[in-house]
Amino acid sequence: MIKKYFLTGLTTLVTAVAMGQSGNTPKDASELQLNTITTAVPFLQITPDSRSGAMGDVGTALSPSSNSFFWNTSMLSFSEEKSEVSLSYSPWLQNLASDINLSHLAGFIRLNDRNVVGGSLRFFSLGEILFTDNTGAPTMPHTPTEFELLGGYAFQLNERFSLGINGKFIYSNLTSGAMVDGAESSAGLAGAADVSFSYFNDDIRYAGRRGSLAFGVTLNNIGNKISYTAENDRDFLPTNLKIGTAMTMDLDSYNSLTWAIDVSKLLVPTTPIRNNISGDIMSGYDQNIGVVPGMLQSFYDAPGALAKDENGNYIQNPDGTYQTVKGTKFKEELTEIMIGTGLEYWYNDLFAARAGYFYENLNKGARQHLTFGIGLKYKMFGIDFSYLTSLRRNNPLQNTIRFTLRLHLGGSENVSGSVKPE
């Protein structure tokens, strides 16, 4: 019954999002314009591991691994492995520079049948840059770096449900104390938390074959705003909501197939439309609010498109507010939802082949790409590789590759409701 209602609800949600995402090419005044959502430390959103990177950046409900601290910590409660350590590496934005990269070290250990602890370290290097003064003369070289140190805990509530929580420290050194707009800068610091929930059922049958169903919800990067100067300008962390499901079917005793889908949304205020002269808000809401109000406001603050009269002038109401084209606010809210989906095939728990697709609306960043990858596992060792090809020309993410090395330690546990390891 849970599976029936969940699949119906998910299908309805994806259909609504697809309808809202249509019509991306501006044609008239009713069409939405480019309005991306920007945050501090966007590296927190980059997929670190090759498995999810090969499946369309999907991972909220995939079978648990040490990389679950990024996707959904609560899934670790269902792991058959007693412990695991993984190291991932990805050259980043290679079409722009050759020295940008992301590294990710993660590991967990099972304490008992219900409790799992662990953590991860994510390090992002933006390559060497050369600061200049107002005349263009070089002043000093600097390599901007950012990192996230995370500790996580997963607790299995019962055979089917689990909870997870992460605490993290975020450090972002982009300027090395250089003067920015006449003000001295400093490294940005933040503390944040993730909260996750999972449902897992391994007593499922698809067309008479055994399988499993997993469902996950996560709230990531809930924390204070970051500032790089002494001024009161602070930027939101990339707080986001992810909802995902994964369905696995055992085709026979050697072959299995998993289909997974994630739906995600940034819980950060959308930039309003402002008057170019006065700076007053014409549509939308002020972004200068607290973290929790900003999370709530993110569900209804899309400005939409301003209505114009036959002369091309914006239509103003008697109270001084501006009219918007009917339905564009809701349509823009839908365009803020991102979708990823992927397939994973395993043969005899030794070889995996993966493929996926990720979609982000043109008005919100235009990340649209296909992903592919393979995985090999032998005894306690595993290695994964992924490749990204963009569906849009001149995309800096084109040809992104990722490598992940996994090491399983201490054997496996017979845990109630555990997931077959990937």
Side-chain angles (χ1 to χ4, degrees), residues 98-386:
S98 60
D99 54 356
I100 304 176
N101 58 80
L102 175 71
S103 302
H104 186 251
L105 175 67
F108 75 86
I109 184 169
R110 176 176 290 281
L111 301 179
N112 51 45
D113 287 351
R114 292 182 177 271
N115 299 276
V116 178
V117 297
S120 67
L121 172 64
R122 171 195 294 258
F123 184 82
F124 188 52
S125 173
L126 284 80
E128 184 175 288
I129 63 174
L130 185 63
F131 286 103
T132 60
D133 58 23
N134 293 334
T135 65
T139 56
M140 67 173 184
H142 174 55
T143 301
T145 56
E146 301 176 302
F147 72 81
E148 172 202 67
L149 183 63
L150 178 151
Y153 168 68
F155 174 71
Q156 189 169 353
L157 299 174
N158 56 36
E159 187 178 352
R160 303 292 186 214
F161 296 94
S162 68
L163 293 175
I165 186 169
N166 297 332
K168 55 179 69 174
F169 169 75
I170 301 159
Y171 174 85
S172 176
N173 185 5
L174 301 181
T175 62
S176 188
M179 299 296 289
V180 178
D181 294 331
E184 185 177 351
S185 64
S186 62
L189 304 175
D194 305 332
V195 180
S196 55
F197 165 83
S198 293
Y199 164 82
F200 174 69
N201 188 344
D202 59 353
D203 189 21
I204 299 289
R205 290 192 174 272
Y206 302 103
R209 293 181 171 86
R210 284 187 58 86
S212 63
L213 171 69
F215 169 71
V217 179
T218 66
L219 277 171
N220 301 106
N221 305 317
I222 307 169
N224 63 282
K225 295 182 181 180
I226 279 188
S227 176
Y228 296 94
T229 68
E231 304 295 329
N232 198 28
D233 295 330
R234 294 182 173 272
D235 299 313
F236 285 93
L237 299 180
T239 307
N240 68 89
L241 168 68
K242 290 182 180 179
I243 303 174
T245 187
M247 290 171 279
T248 299
M249 177 190 297
D250 294 330
L251 303 177
D252 54 40
S253 56
Y254 292 97
N255 302 276
S256 66
L257 185 66
T258 297
W259 172 72
I261 183 170
D262 277 10
V263 179
S264 60
K265 182 188 186 309
L266 280 170
L267 302 186
V268 177
T270 304
T271 303
I273 299 175
R274 293 182 179 271
N275 187 296
N276 292 331
I277 299 175
S278 66
D280 295 334
I281 294 177
M282 303 171 70
S283 181
Y285 293 83
D286 190 357
Q287 295 174 288
N288 188 25
I289 57 177
V291 173
V292 174
M295 293 171 60
L296 299 175
Q297 181 177 299
S298 68
F299 288 99
Y300 60 83
D301 64 353
L306 292 173
K308 295 182 179 180
D309 59 22
E310 61 274 10
N311 297 320
N313 299 315
Y314 294 123
I315 302 175
Q316 214 169 355
N317 298 314
D319 60 358
T321 59
Y322 289 84
Q323 293 185 20
T324 58
V325 178
K326 185 178 180 180
T328 56
K329 289 186 176 183
F330 179 67
K331 182 177 181 180
E332 184 172 352
E333 286 292 348
L334 290 179
T335 63
E336 294 179 358
I337 298 176
M338 296 162 282
I339 304 174
T341 186
L343 291 171
E344 178 182 60
Y345 163 77
W346 271 99
Y347 172 73
N348 200 29
D349 202 26
L350 294 174
F351 169 78
R354 305 174 178 116
Y357 171 66
F358 181 85
Y359 181 87
E360 181 181 56
N361 190 271
L362 297 181
N363 302 314
K364 297 297 178 178
R367 289 178 299 164
Q368 300 175 14
H369 47 253
L370 294 173
T371 59
F372 307 92
I374 59 173
L376 298 173
K377 183 180 178 182
Y378 180 70
K379 294 185 178 179
M380 62 187 299
F381 296 99
I383 186 169
D384 300 301
F385 168 81
S386 70

